Amino acid sequence: MVQHILRKDEIRVQFPVAPLSLPRFYKCKMNAYNRGAYSVERIAHSRALAALFLFLFYPLSAIRYPLNVFAQDIREPNVAGQFYPADKTALSRQIDLLLEKSAPERIGADIFCLISPHAGYDFSGQTAAFGYKLIRNKPYKTVVIIGPSHYYGFSGISVYASGSFRTPLGGLEIDSDFTQKIINPEQKIGFIPEAFDREHSVEVQLPFLQKSLADFKIVPIVTGDCGYQTLRNLSENLIKAIGQRKDVLIVASTDLTHSYDYQETEIIDRINLSYLQKMSPDELYAKLKEGGAQMCGGYPVVAAMLTAKGLGNTGLKVLSYDNSAQVTGKKTKGLWTVGYASAVIVREKSEEVTLLSPTQKKRLLEIARGTIEEYLSSGKRLDFKEEDGRLREISGAFVTLHKHKELRGCIGNIIGQKPLFETVRDMAIESATGDPRFGPVSKEELKDIEIEVSVLSPLKKITHIDEFQLGAHGVLVRRGFAQGVFLPQVATETGWSKEEFLSYLCEHKAGLSPDAWKDPATEIFIFSAQVFSE
């Protein structure tokens, strides 16, 4: 049984089937946005009489008066054994093979959104694997999956508000805190359970997510017939719910052209892909309405694009394209052919580092010192659990140690590969024990060590040194396999000029000639840093 969101003038009741035996002075009606969700409305008698009737004929546990009650159930898979193996071992092995065979082009940015197909794995699984391979082991905590309704016709958007979805690989909890922020029946965004009853567009993404990520929750969304404003409302609600979080991934589930002519499919899909690459949601919506573009999940893609652009993310890249005729080798006119694409929308990089609050800085310093203390005592690397979204962002960082104001160790990771708090933990150990210029720090001298943390912005390549601001930017120079880096504070501490800074960096850090920075073959990158110490 499921619970439904009703209007303020309705009494809430759960029915396993339609309540055909209600007294004549009540009638069943369809909630405006929860089609198929039966409710009881007063016709001629008072609410008190209705409550008495329900008390007498239905268990108290079935009655819900609060206005914001959501589904609390476990949804079993609809298409296990059809679209993908129902056996856990076979499913896991199939996805492993698909991921192993995929060879996506490396993306030098964090991924905000996947656009992924939803046919059976034997048909579109290899295409889908291109996107999922790029997000493997990334620290996403909430994944919003938006798919179209193939079987149940309704107007608006259905968000599965709470509970869990099960696949042969296990259960996935719904992020109910997140769903409460985006559901708004007045905007035609509610919970319509029938939209999920036979649907596969959300479900087929789940096993890939389970094999790619760990420790995440899901937000399942199915779109019906939507006006552009409804999709915009959804995107605005998503933007507010996401806020400054960098651990939210959106998956827009869609196949492309459906046709009885494989050549026609390929021609139309070239047009479809061009609309994707334009990243113009209003134009795509218009083309979907007039038939100039064909995507069964076109509305989910429009919603994902609107959300991405609203958060400043505009870079879309197509990773792979295929269709069922190419997969099966049956290129025959009159044979049903479906197109598949895998694409990503990436997060725009910022040259400046997002400033940390005093509490966040204090926490990172605590992690650095606690890590060093434990490692020097036991040789063990501490595991920390962090709920702060900023500290979970992928970020580069350096940890610098000073003893009596003299350098005692400095090691860092310029290009972020882990959440910031883990980067600081790992670099703290390296600075204390792995800097080749110094011997390992001892437990006895740790009391005299001052810890400094530098949190770095993404790198920005420059073509002229006028873009480099002395004291504000750190610099990385690279030519071939030789490279060297200085943090921004080096300029302040030494008093060097810009030319002296670059010459010393090239000669003493990168092992190049002092004037290598003048050579066009030498790449120069700048970055900013937020520096703080105990």
Side-chain angles (χ1 to χ4, degrees), residues 478-493:
R478 181 170 63 199
R479 188 166 70 185
F481 293 105
Q483 68 177 30
V485 63
F486 270 153
L487 296 175
Q489 54 265 43
V490 171
T492 304
E493 294 169 355

Side-chain angles (χ1 to χ4, degrees), residues 114-128:
L114 291 182
I115 298 174
S116 187
H118 54 234
Y121 286 7
D122 290 341
F123 293 92
S124 69
Q126 192 60 70
T127 303

Side-chain angles (χ1 to χ4, degrees), residues 511-523:
L512 301 171
S513 63
D515 59 354
W517 59 270
K518 301 177 182 178
D519 188 337
T522 302
E523 294 177 293

Side-chain angles (χ1 to χ4, degrees), residues 102-213:
S102 66
E105 181 181 341
R106 190 171 181 273
I107 302 295
D110 293 336
I111 293 172
F112 174 75
C113 172
L114 291 182
I115 298 174
S116 187
H118 54 234
Y121 286 7
D122 290 341
F123 293 92
S124 69
Q126 192 60 70
T127 303
F130 274 74
Y132 283 106
K133 190 164 188 174
L134 289 178
I135 65 163
R136 290 191 84 175
N137 303 316
K138 301 297 184 182
Y140 297 107
K141 294 299 180 184
T142 299
V143 181
V144 180
I145 310 109
I146 314 175
S149 177
H150 288 86
Y151 305 104
Y152 184 74
F154 69 101
S155 175
I157 293 168
S158 178
V159 180
Y160 213 98
S162 66
S164 63
F165 276 46
R166 192 189 304 279
T167 79
L169 300 180
L172 284 169
E173 183 183 351
I174 292 171
D175 190 338
S176 57
D177 291 336
F178 194 100
T179 59
Q180 290 186 52
K181 296 175 182 178
I182 62 176
I183 288 177
N184 185 342
E186 293 182 358
Q187 299 176 329
K188 292 190 176 182
I189 304 171
F191 171 50
I192 306 165
E194 291 81 358
F196 294 89
D197 282 349
R198 298 171 58 198
E199 189 53 55
H200 63 274
S201 62
V202 170
E203 179 185 326
V204 296
Q205 309 297 339
L206 303 183
F208 267 108
L209 287 166
Q210 288 172 301
K211 291 290 291 183
S212 302
L213 305 176

